[in-house]
Amino acid sequence: MDQITGGAVAGRLANRLGTAREEAFVGRTAELDAFRAALAGTHDGCPVWFVHGPGGIGKSMLLRRFAALARDAGRIVVQVDGAGIDPSPAGFTAAAYAALSGAPAVLLVDTFERCQGLEGWLRDRFLPRIPDGVVVVVAGRQAPDCEWQADLGWSGVLRVESLGGLPPDAATELLDRRGVPRELWDAVLRFAGGHPLALNLSAAVAVGDRRAAATWTPTPDVVATLLHHLVGEVPSAQHRLALETCSHALTTTEDLLRSVVGEAAAELFAWLRRLPFVQSDRDGVVPHDVVRSVLDADLRWRDPHGYQVMHARVAAHLLHRARAASGDAVLPAVRSLYHILQDTAVMAPFALRHGGGAVYPDQMAPGDHATLRRIVRESGDGTDDLVGFWLDRQPEAFDVYRRSHDGAVAGFQVTLRLTGPDPDEVAADPVVAAVWRHAAAAQPRAGEHILLTRFSYPLAARRRSAVRDLMHVRTLQWWIRSQRLAWSFLTLADEAVGVAEFIDHQPVRPRPVVDGRAYDLYAHDWRAVPVDVWAARVTAWPLTAAPARSSTGASTAVATPVHTVLSRPDFDAAVRSALRRLHDGSALRANPLTRSRLVVDPGGGSAADQSSVRDPVDTLRTLLTDAAESLRHDPRDAKLYRVLSATYLAGPTTQEAAADRLGLPTSTYKRHLRAAIDRVCELLWRRES
């Protein structure tokens, strides 16, 4: 217990410490105003406060500021540290006794979590003995239990303050006071958010730091210190992994946790919910931002392999959930997947960590046309006529983003759905013409389509905004949930080239030119690299550097297709060749069908898994044989099966010998053989496409 009178604090060092702390204090304006009201005894001032929040959030700093205000008001300040007293009614009473003397006092109780068992006694026995005019502030990590609210007597007497991080303006003011170079502010704020302890520790490291802003990260010592203050000891390695998983995902549910920790998920999820720095919302549990940052940074530095394993399991679960979601659950599920994709040096400049809910996606209404045209004109990029063309041609392609507070249009994005080259569209838009030229070698098949992200407004690709953030989420949604998507194309500003490489979209050359301006266009063939493989590649980036660039500026990390995409004529030709060389392993291995989806992923599961356990030659031979065998069960096709069996399945032979064996005239035999091969091609094409 430390009792301090309203006089000056003795000691030259104490004065210096107090002055430094006073200068370092920023924000908390509402709390300070409310405390002044409590000191003044106004009708809106509460005599009892319960301040709670995670470690390092600034509870002790706020109590020191309260103490200064109380001394300035002529109050006796009685300070009790829950970590330094006997956690018993007698021990607490002895430490706080001076507040019961009747003098105008302020009782400040810090670190109350260390004697949390006294909460019921404090509420029912101790506080009712406090004289009128005394102000009591209890600060700890845990929120007060519901008994306070159940007792109507505390209504109007008790103020519960959940202490959160500093707002952005106060956080930047702190960094400015600490002398952090302005160019590092964004990087420090991305790590620390508004958490005062994290800001101060990071500021101590960042002052004088000469690293580039894009690569700045807190040192392991800073992370270790924060972990000690924020988390402390955990019961086991499994509990630690559960906490690290919770810190990595946007929100954590029990089923997501099960994908990482297995059958212990229910017990560990219940433990997570009880932690003072973890909150529950409708989508799951969410840790405090700085806890998320320090745990993620610590695991990435301490155990890179373990981090990648955990990350991959979380990503696989979230991809499945995003693809299976329906209705209102779709956007939150896709946002959760996007969250773990954006935690890279490539995506960080574009990622908005806060501000969810500021805008929402909506369909374009007829009354929006004039607004959209005005936004385009004000951008000055000269695309007015093209946007007008697509407004008339494909209005459903316009995704409008509205401000939540007034419904006004904040931006829009145009994602065109193309199913075949339309002469008018190709003539009107050089970017669409470039799309079809690039896709000519692997045209969309019947029922397939192309998605082209053609326009995005507002411009300024590198400006973080709620609109841009939601555009990225919606684009990811179209890619992973579209049925029969053949290609996706992106038109991007120069600043976003690294993003195209990150999301496995390759540059289209030559660049399309519109009104004398060349545009960067990027493409991905989803049949060659399907969603599950794409997601595995993209989510493997958090521990990898950006791909090296050649002297020409092109990326040297060109993605290798998982599947070869064949047109129908090429596919049929490959089937005919494979039937002729059915018993020649070397010839079959060179057949393009061995790299088709038909062979690489015959079961329709994960292509990445399937291709690693099957010999493509054996798989192709089995597929051809099964397709032929299926004909024998239909009386109408039985004669076709006999021709295939005699010609190919039974072993190498000539067509003349096969016709003799079947006792068929050569013309009849050849007619049946052509029909049989056509039937096999059709059966296999259905599986391929």
Side-chain angles (χ1 to χ4, degrees):
M1 184 271 289
D2 180 19
Q3 181 177 341
I4 306 174
T5 65
V9 178
R12 195 174 288 178
L13 179 58
N15 277 324
R16 291 180 62 184
L17 290 172
T19 301
R21 288 167 177 162
E22 178 78 18
E23 291 175 351
F25 189 90
V26 297
R28 310 301 188 198
T29 304
E31 291 85 351
L32 295 177
D33 289 344
F35 185 73
R36 290 188 183 96
L39 290 175
T42 61
H43 71 280
D44 57 343
C46 292
V48 178
W49 287 44
F50 207 118
V51 178
H52 66 95
I57 199 65
K59 300 184 297 295
S60 297
M61 181 72 78
L62 182 62
L63 260 59
R64 280 196 288 267
R65 191 75 187 97
F66 284 173
L69 292 176
R71 288 194 299 272
D72 291 344
R75 295 287 193 113
I76 293 174
V77 177
V78 182
Q79 293 177 302
V80 176
D81 184 353
I85 65 169
D86 172 25
S88 67
F92 188 96
T93 301
Y97 187 76
L100 302 174
S101 66
V106 170
L107 173 60
L108 303 175
V109 183
D110 201 3
T111 328
F112 187 66
E113 70 273 7
R114 299 293 291 272
C115 53
Q116 195 78 34
L118 295 175
E119 184 177 354
W121 169 84
L122 183 77
R123 178 186 61 245
D124 299 332
R125 304 293 296 276
F126 180 83
L127 289 177
R129 297 166 53 195
I130 292 292
D132 285 341
V134 173
V135 177
V136 180
V137 182
V138 179
R141 295 191 179 192
Q142 299 181 28
D145 65 40
C146 58
E147 294 295 328
W148 297 83
Q149 295 178 341
D151 186 345
L152 295 180
W154 286 103
S155 176
V157 177
L158 173 70
R159 177 187 179 99
V160 178
E161 192 73 46
S162 177
L163 207 59
L166 298 172
D169 57 344
T172 53
E173 181 184 352
L174 188 153
L175 297 181
D176 193 23
R177 290 187 183 185
R178 294 296 304 271
V180 176
R182 187 176 295 269
E183 61 270 19
L184 292 181
W185 285 6
D186 281 350
V188 174
L189 290 173
R190 273 200 305 274
F191 167 74
H195 194 279
L197 178 61
L199 285 166
N200 278 294
L201 288 173
S202 300
V205 175
V207 171
D209 199 328
R210 295 296 177 260
R211 286 179 290 172
T215 60
W216 186 91
T217 55
T219 65
D221 287 343
V222 168
V223 171
T225 301
L226 285 168
L227 281 176
H228 172 73
H229 282 276
L230 297 172
V231 179
E233 297 296 323
V234 294
S236 71
Q238 279 285 78
H239 288 78
R240 182 61 171 252
L241 179 58
L243 190 53
E244 289 163 345
T245 302
C246 177
S247 298
H248 191 61
L250 181 62
T251 58
T252 300
T253 57
E254 190 174 310
D255 62 329
L256 184 148
L257 196 59
R258 187 174 295 108
S259 70
V260 179
V261 303
E263 293 307 312
E267 173 192 347
L268 295 172
F269 187 77
W271 172 76
L272 286 172
R273 295 180 67 181
R274 296 193 297 269
L275 296 176
F277 48 80
V278 173
Q279 296 180 326
S280 299
D281 62 21
R282 66 174 188 173
D283 298 318
V285 294
V286 182
H288 190 279
D289 285 343
V290 75
V291 175
R292 180 192 299 282
S293 296
V294 296
L295 279 166
D296 212 50
D298 178 66
L299 180 61
R300 187 182 301 199
W301 169 78
R302 176 173 49 83
D303 183 7
H305 176 71
Y307 181 90
Q308 193 70 312
V309 170
M310 178 270 292
H311 174 81
R313 290 176 180 173
V314 170
H317 176 88
L318 294 177
L319 175 63
H320 173 76
R321 189 170 76 182
R323 299 182 77 183
S326 60
D328 292 340
V330 172
L331 195 60
V334 178
R335 186 184 291 279
S336 293
L337 178 61
Y338 175 70
H339 170 81
I340 66 167
L341 299 183
Q342 68 181 3
D343 191 21
T344 67
V346 176
M347 291 296 291
F350 304 92
L352 184 71
R353 293 292 181 168
H354 305 284
V359 295
Y360 63 93
D362 194 19
Q363 291 184 335
M364 182 182 62
D368 294 326
H369 286 213
T371 302
L372 269 53
R373 288 179 179 272
R374 175 182 56 77
I375 291 174
V376 177
R377 285 196 304 272
E378 291 175 353
S379 73
D381 67 344
T383 59
D384 309 39
D385 292 341
L386 271 177
V387 171
F389 172 83
W390 289 112
L391 266 173
D392 296 335
R393 191 84 175 187
Q394 208 174 119
E396 68 278 5
F398 285 68
D399 211 9
V400 173
Y401 299 88
R402 303 187 190 277
R403 295 197 301 249
S404 297
H405 70 277
D406 60 5
V409 175
F412 70 93
Q413 182 165 272
V414 182
T415 304
L416 302 173
R417 191 178 191 275
L418 308 174
T419 55
D422 181 285
D424 293 339
E425 295 173 353
V426 169
D429 194 335
V431 173
V432 172
V435 164
W436 286 115
R437 283 196 303 271
H438 186 82
Q443 288 272 8
R445 300 158 174 169
E448 293 180 343
H449 64 281
I450 288 173
L451 289 180
L452 166 62
T453 304
R454 181 64 182 91
F455 305 103
S456 297
Y457 295 93
L459 300 175
R462 277 198 177 271
R463 187 178 67 196
R464 293 190 193 95
S465 70
V467 174
R468 285 281 163 187
D469 202 52
L470 191 50
M471 284 179 181
H472 296 159
V473 174
R474 292 284 279 182
T475 300
L476 178 62
Q477 176 181 332
W478 305 145
W479 292 348
I480 67 174
R481 291 177 57 86
S482 292
Q483 299 296 316
R484 306 298 303 278
L485 176 60
W487 289 88
S488 60
F489 288 82
L490 293 168
T491 47
L492 294 176
D494 292 338
E495 297 91 339
V497 169
V499 175
E501 296 170 343
F502 170 73
I503 56 179
D504 197 14
H505 279 60
Q506 307 306 320
V508 172
R509 295 293 182 265
R511 299 164 71 197
V513 177
V514 182
D515 293 334
R517 176 186 174 186
Y519 282 80
D520 287 307
L521 183 64
Y522 297 85
H524 180 92
D525 188 340
W526 293 96
R527 301 157 304 175
V529 182
V531 169
D532 60 326
V533 180
W534 173 85
R537 289 177 176 177
V538 171
T539 56
W541 268 61
L543 292 180
T544 13
R549 303 185 70 82
S550 68
S551 58
T552 63
S555 169
T556 59
V558 178
T560 303
V562 175
H563 302 149
T564 295
V565 181
L566 299 171
S567 66
R568 180 61 191 269
D570 291 340
F571 183 89
D572 289 354
V575 171
R576 293 188 181 94
S577 175
L579 284 170
R580 288 195 300 269
R581 311 297 293 274
L582 188 63
H583 301 281
D584 185 342
S586 297
L588 283 185
R589 195 170 299 279
N591 191 293
L593 289 177
T594 58
R595 298 177 296 281
S596 67
R597 179 187 293 272
L598 176 75
V599 172
V600 175
D601 189 16
S606 168
D609 294 339
Q610 299 282 358
S611 61
S612 63
V613 298
R614 287 189 173 93
D615 183 340
V617 171
D618 292 340
T619 301
L620 177 56
R621 187 178 286 125
T622 299
L623 287 167
L624 291 165
T625 302
D626 288 349
E629 290 281 351
S630 69
L631 301 180
R632 72 189 304 179
H633 304 299
D634 187 333
R636 295 170 299 178
D637 291 336
K639 60 181 180 294
L640 304 183
Y641 167 74
R642 288 193 294 271
V643 170
L644 286 174
S645 178
T647 308
Y648 302 126
L649 305 186
T653 187
T654 64
Q655 292 189 6
E656 291 78 5
D660 288 343
R661 187 184 309 168
L662 293 168
L664 293 174
T666 301
S667 59
T668 302
Y669 163 81
K670 289 185 175 181
R671 186 173 68 255
H672 288 178
L673 181 61
R674 285 194 300 270
I677 293 173
D678 288 345
R679 289 285 287 123
V680 169
C681 289
E682 180 62 30
L683 290 170
L684 294 180
W685 177 254
R686 289 178 187 172
R687 295 190 61 172
E688 165 73 6
S689 61

